[in-house]
């Protein structure tokens, strides 16, 4: 192996493979010609050592607990920026000037309404349908309303679809919540910022004026920033794979929502709060730590561990700080679930099992406590994750479409089934 090439000798074949260098982080071995040269595939079912694409949007250093969006640390974006500014950064690659930000905010705000027919779509669901099931259906259905922005080969239509997705997700999420609790839908208001508009669409009722609490709106906006994008996670990879076939962006985001729903991924915020509620008291924590360590018990500490972070998830630290801000603003002096979370974290981080396996709290560990305090039911937690992650999915989808190397994603397999055999008539079986 030299700086640019590697030679792999396997099964009597040798393959010359190119090395491709990164800006920061691991370089890659381009194995695109491996099969052609060796008639062998690589095998990496969880993609633990596989780069699926080249990207310049988000960088994660799992060992150091670093998360950069277009080179800017998440801590600085969460502290100084707002969510639409981060959306602009993820989509266009640079922080906006004041004029660009004003124009972008205006364009997003003027796409927040959904077609009035969409409201009838909701009435097809049971009231107790999980809001993520509703979101899968309704976001996919957007394709049926916006035929003027589904031609993915047209950069203008791609950008219109991108803005529509970012703008309409809060409206659809709020509608899913209102339908779930049997209250009337609340239309967006163009004079409110993104997070304030969302909180009002969720919590306003026709019988009285809703006054947005700026501290809570800022916390909501920061939670959106923390969930905006995260490199090639499962749901983003789903959106990229769906998009590689030429599917329209609304259908691709619906596929991402479906994947995010899983408890190993975005569904962990709902599962983590349910776990803290089930633990119930601090003195029951050792019982659950033991279960998490028991190989024969499928139980895992929800909100702990990560495929990439083998250090503290930087988002979890910011989320914990936001939790204290929200509880303080709401005058919640002692939240038993927070007490359990803090004690569970303390015990886990001193336990050899968690230390050896490098299991730390991830973004989902504290978010549920904050979202519950803001007034959301646990069933809405992953919907909020999907709302925020839509910009990441859309930015990665656009990058994939614009990638000259982009082809339909079509992995191969290690076949261990039956070799060819002859059909046996039923009379002889
Ligand atoms: C998100 O990819 C992303 O970037 C995702 C995300 C994003 O922003 O898009 O960051 C959002 O999905 C965060 C993760 C949320 N999920 C959870 O909190 C669910 C609980 N965590 C785990 O299920 C698990 O940690 C994963 C799914 C997050 C990561 O799984 P991996 O990388 O496949 O790790 P693994 O399952 O191979 O675990 C390694 C070892 C195993 O033990 P051994 O088989 O080696 O003996 O650690 C153990 C696991 O049993 N382990 C845990 C554990 N997580 C891993 N043991 C107890 N509790 C846990 N939470």
């Amino acid at each position: 192996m030299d700086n640019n090439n590697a030679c792999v000798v396997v099964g009597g074949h040798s393959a010359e493979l190119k090395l491709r260098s990164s800006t920061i982080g691991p370089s890659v071995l381009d194995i695109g010609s491996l099969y052609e040269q060796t008639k062998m595939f690589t095998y990496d079912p969880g993609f633990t050592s596989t780069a699926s694409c080249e990207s310049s949007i988000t960088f994660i250093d799992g060992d150091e607990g670093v998360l950069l969006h277009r080179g800017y640390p998440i801590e600085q974006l969460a502290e100084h920026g707002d969510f639409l500014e981060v959306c602009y950064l993820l989509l266009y690659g640079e922080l906006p000037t004041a004029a660009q930000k004003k124009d972008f905010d205006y364009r997003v705000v003027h796409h927040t309404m959904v077609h009035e027919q969409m409201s009838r779509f909701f009435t097809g669901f049971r009231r107790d349908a999980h809001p993520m099931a509703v979101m899968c259906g309704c976001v996919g259905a957007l394709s049926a309303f916006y035929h003027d922005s589904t031609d993915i080969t047209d950069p203008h239509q791609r950008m219109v679809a991108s803005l529509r997705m970012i703008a309409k997700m809060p409206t659809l999420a709020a509608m899913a919540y209102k339908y779930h609790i049997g209250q009337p839908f609340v239309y967006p208001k163009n004079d409110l910022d993104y997070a304030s508009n969302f909180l009002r669409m969720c919590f306003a009722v026709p019988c009285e004026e809703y006054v947005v609490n700026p501290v809570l709106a800022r916390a909501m906006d920061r939670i959106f920033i923390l969930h905006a994008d995260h490199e090639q996670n499962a749901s983003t990879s789903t959106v990229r794979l769906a998009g590689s076939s030429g599917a329209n962006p609304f259908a691709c985001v619906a596929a991402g929502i479906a994947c995010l729903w899983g408890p190993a991924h975005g569904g962990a915020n709902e599962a983590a709060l349910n776990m803290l509620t089930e633990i119930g008291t601090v003195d029951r924590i050792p019982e659950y730590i033991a279960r998490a360590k028991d190989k024969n018990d499928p139980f895992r500490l929800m909100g702990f561990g990560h495929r990439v972070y083998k250090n503290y998830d930087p988002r979890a630290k910011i989320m914990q700080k936001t939790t204290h801000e929200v509880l303080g603003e709401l005058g919640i002096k002692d939240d038993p679930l927070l007490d359990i979370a803090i004690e569970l974290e303390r015990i886990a981080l001193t336990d050899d099992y968690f230390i050896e396996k490098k299991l730390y709290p991830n973004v989902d560990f504290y978010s549920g406590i904050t979202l519950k305090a803001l007034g959301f039911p646990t069933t809405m937690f992953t919907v909020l994750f999907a709302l925020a992650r839509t910009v990441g999915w859309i930015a990665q989808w656009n990058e994939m479409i614009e990638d000259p190397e982009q082809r339909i994603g079509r992995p191969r397999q290690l076949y261990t089934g039956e070799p060819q055999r002859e059909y046996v008539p039923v009379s002889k079986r």
Side-chain angles (χ1 to χ4, degrees):
M1 184 188 286
D2 59 32
N3 290 339
N4 301 309
N5 296 287
C7 180
V8 173
V9 180
V10 60
H13 298 277
S14 70
E16 289 288 324
L17 301 173
K18 286 223 171 299
L19 288 174
R20 291 175 61 169
S21 301
S22 63
T23 318
I24 45 177
S27 295
V28 299
L29 188 58
D30 185 337
I31 58 167
S33 63
L34 181 72
Y35 177 68
E36 184 189 324
Q37 296 185 61
T38 66
K39 296 302 172 208
M40 293 186 84
F41 299 138
T42 57
Y43 183 72
D44 183 12
F47 306 121
T48 49
S49 303
T50 296
S52 61
C53 63
E54 179 177 339
S55 180
S56 58
I57 298 175
T58 290
F59 174 74
I60 302 171
D61 182 330
D63 295 328
E64 298 302 318
V66 170
L67 170 57
L68 308 178
H69 289 316
R70 302 285 191 180
Y72 295 98
I74 189 66
E75 294 84 354
Q76 295 179 27
L77 294 171
E79 183 69 30
H80 305 299
D82 69 35
F83 179 65
L84 285 186
E85 183 177 55
V86 173
C87 288
Y88 186 99
L89 175 66
L90 291 171
L91 286 173
Y92 295 106
E94 297 295 337
L95 288 169
T97 62
Q100 288 167 334
K101 177 72 168 54
K102 187 166 181 253
D103 170 63
F104 184 74
D105 287 4
Y106 180 88
R107 287 188 289 148
V108 170
V109 159
H110 288 81
H111 278 293
T112 50
M113 286 180 71
V114 294
H115 194 291
E116 195 58 18
Q117 293 281 107
M118 279 302 289
S119 53
R120 294 197 199 154
F121 211 91
F122 285 81
T123 53
F125 292 100
R126 290 171 40 153
R127 289 283 181 177
D128 62 353
H130 194 292
M132 280 297 278
V134 174
M135 290 300 284
C136 286
C138 290
V139 171
L142 284 177
S143 331
F145 289 91
Y146 297 110
H147 299 118
D148 63 343
S149 62
T150 52
D151 174 0
I152 62 158
T153 61
D154 175 353
H156 171 72
Q157 289 198 33
R158 283 206 307 274
M159 198 38 75
V160 170
S162 303
L163 291 180
R164 277 176 165 154
M165 276 295 5
I166 293 164
K168 295 179 194 307
M169 280 298 276
T171 309
L172 290 173
M175 292 171 79
Y177 173 57
K178 284 302 202 183
Y179 186 74
H180 193 49
I181 62 173
Q183 285 188 1
F185 298 140
V186 176
Y187 287 96
K189 271 173 65 67
N190 291 353
D191 59 351
L192 293 176
D193 65 67
Y194 194 85
S196 299
N197 213 354
F198 175 63
L199 290 175
R200 181 179 170 278
M201 287 190 283
C202 288
F203 299 121
V205 288
C207 5
E208 60 188 30
E209 267 314 298
Y210 178 81
V211 179
V212 178
N213 177 323
V215 174
L216 302 187
R218 177 68 189 125
M220 187 81 262
D221 191 83
R222 189 182 306 133
I223 291 170
F224 289 155
I225 292 173
L226 295 179
H227 290 80
D229 190 51
H230 212 238
E231 198 211 69
Q232 305 311 319
N233 59 85
S235 54
T236 297
S237 301
T238 301
V239 171
R240 278 181 171 260
L241 193 59
S244 74
S245 75
N248 74 71
F250 305 105
C252 294
V253 168
I257 293 172
C259 177
L260 186 75
W261 195 1
H265 189 15
N269 54 16
E270 176 179 358
L273 196 88
N274 291 338
M275 174 190 73
L276 294 172
T277 307
E278 184 187 331
I279 292 173
T281 56
V282 166
D283 60 10
R284 291 192 65 199
I285 289 174
E287 172 193 335
Y288 283 83
I289 294 274
R291 284 188 59 195
K293 292 158 64 173
D294 179 356
K295 293 307 299 154
N296 300 316
D297 188 333
F299 173 79
R300 287 195 164 180
L301 281 189
M302 302 316 284
F304 260 79
H306 199 276
R307 170 62 55 76
V308 177
Y309 289 124
K310 300 309 172 191
N311 197 325
Y312 213 102
D313 182 336
R315 302 168 298 175
K317 284 182 186 157
I318 304 166
M319 181 57 74
Q320 191 181 25
K321 178 170 165 275
T322 304
T323 303
H324 288 294
E325 277 176 20
V326 168
L327 296 181
E329 175 64 18
L330 294 170
I332 300 173
K333 293 280 180 284
D334 51 4
D335 180 332
L337 293 179
L338 180 60
D339 297 341
I340 294 170
I342 291 171
E343 179 61 7
L344 176 58
E345 175 187 343
R346 186 192 68 75
I347 295 174
L349 295 190
T350 55
D351 182 290
D352 291 343
Y353 173 91
F354 293 90
I355 293 168
E356 178 222 322
K357 294 188 186 297
K358 298 184 179 179
L359 302 175
Y360 291 86
N362 58 51
V363 68
D364 295 309
F365 187 60
Y366 286 103
S367 58
I369 295 168
T370 317
L371 297 175
K372 178 174 177 284
L374 286 171
F376 294 103
T378 50
T379 49
M380 276 295 290
F381 291 1
T382 311
V383 171
L384 301 182
F385 195 149
L387 187 168
R389 184 54 57 87
T390 294
V391 64
W393 290 332
I394 282 291
Q396 300 267 354
W397 169 78
N398 274 299
E399 184 179 64
M400 177 211 51
I401 301 276
E402 291 158 8
D403 181 345
E405 290 187 310
Q406 128 73 14
R407 304 170 68 190
I408 188 166
R410 205 296 185 196
R412 300 306 302 274
Q413 62 180 10
L414 171 67
Y415 178 70
T416 54
E418 291 289 339
Q420 183 166 330
R421 52 183 172 166
E422 297 308 306
Y423 180 82
V424 178
V426 67
S427 56
K428 294 188 176 170
R429 291 177 203 159

